[in-house]
Amino acid sequence: GGGGGGSLLFALVFDRVCFLCAATADLFLICYGLQTLAFSIDLAREAVRESLASLPPGASCPLASAAQLEHMCEAGMELLWPHCEDPFQGIVDQTKAMFESLADLRTLAHLLKRREAGEAGAVETGALAQALEIFQPLLGKALLVKHNRKARYRVLTALVPRVGVQALLDQEQGLVRSVLIAMSDQGVGTCAAALLEAMLGARATVEGDAWWIEPMLDV
């Protein structure tokens, strides 16, 4: 609470915890830090969402700006990338939880940005087209990660239910084949299998089954 003062205090605490997590090799500190950040992001998201719901059309949010939320998303993602490779299961779990929180926050930041631009009636939707607009930078970044890195598969897996399978296939036509090959790599096999499972679970969003059957026959 506390309007601008509360927003400033939260931003300072958020940045400080991000800094501490990035500067330490203490796995337990990192784990608890990520847990704290995920919880804090969830609280901030709900507070901003409730504030927007109670405001008249065209009114700005007194708790945070779109720029502040976008900063949190960027800072949080920069912190998460290296920890996607961590072998410590506690950190892996917290990385996933924090990513989910950041993804929801990015969606809210997009909504807030539209409201600030004068779209008084802007509301959250589940439309894949809008989701792709929001997550395109992150999707593109994930696909640039090397095939032997867990971060590639973990981020793509989390994006599947948000942007749909077709968005991934449009960006990289050979994705399924590369995932199948990666499943034989002991270092990333489990993560690659999780991505394929997520894609097959959402395959109703893609017309036909050739996109996954043909690569399986080729590999």
Side-chain angles (χ1 to χ4, degrees):
S7 298
L8 177 61
L9 176 61
F10 183 85
L12 291 173
V13 172
F14 181 86
D15 285 345
R16 181 59 179 168
V17 176
C18 283
F19 172 78
L20 291 174
C21 286
T24 184
D26 186 324
L27 297 180
F28 288 100
L29 177 59
I30 293 170
C31 185
Y32 292 133
L34 294 178
Q35 185 177 29
T36 299
L37 289 173
F39 180 70
S40 300
I41 291 168
D42 287 342
L43 288 178
R45 185 191 68 236
E46 291 308 312
V48 171
R49 183 175 285 152
E50 290 176 6
S51 176
L52 285 176
S54 65
L55 292 172
S60 61
C61 178
L63 299 180
S65 66
Q68 286 176 309
L69 297 188
E70 288 174 348
H71 166 72
M72 290 173 62
C73 291
E74 294 302 320
M77 285 306 306
E78 286 302 313
L79 175 64
L80 286 188
W81 280 110
H83 293 304
C84 286
E85 310 301 323
D86 206 293
F88 185 44
Q89 187 59 43
I91 293 181
V92 171
D93 293 340
Q94 293 307 324
T95 297
K96 184 178 185 301
M98 186 173 166
F99 179 85
E100 296 291 338
S101 298
L102 286 170
D104 290 340
L105 189 68
R106 184 177 289 276
T107 302
L108 186 60
H110 181 77
L111 169 63
L112 191 55
K113 189 174 184 177
R114 291 171 59 201
R115 291 279 291 264
E116 290 173 355
E119 294 184 50
V123 296
E124 290 183 273
T125 74
L128 290 179
Q130 185 181 97
L132 184 57
E133 178 184 351
I134 297 169
F135 294 108
Q136 178 60 53
L138 184 56
L139 173 58
K141 188 173 182 178
L143 288 171
L144 289 176
V145 176
K146 293 181 179 179
H147 291 201
N148 63 346
R149 306 292 287 179
K150 296 175 183 176
R152 172 182 174 88
Y153 305 102
R154 286 180 173 156
V155 173
L156 291 177
T157 299
L159 287 176
V160 167
R162 290 180 164 83
V163 303
V165 177
Q166 191 63 57
L168 274 67
L169 299 177
D170 288 344
Q171 296 284 322
E172 187 173 311
Q173 293 183 351
L175 178 62
V176 176
R177 188 175 189 279
S178 70
V179 170
L180 289 169
I181 294 173
M183 286 171 60
S184 64
D185 183 332
Q186 187 175 2
V188 298
T190 301
C191 296
L195 172 57
L196 182 60
E197 181 180 358
M199 293 176 71
L200 291 174
R203 68 180 185 272
T205 61
V206 185
E207 186 176 345
D209 288 322
W211 64 272
W212 65 272
I213 292 178
E214 290 181 2
M216 286 188 174
L217 296 175
D218 291 340
V219 175

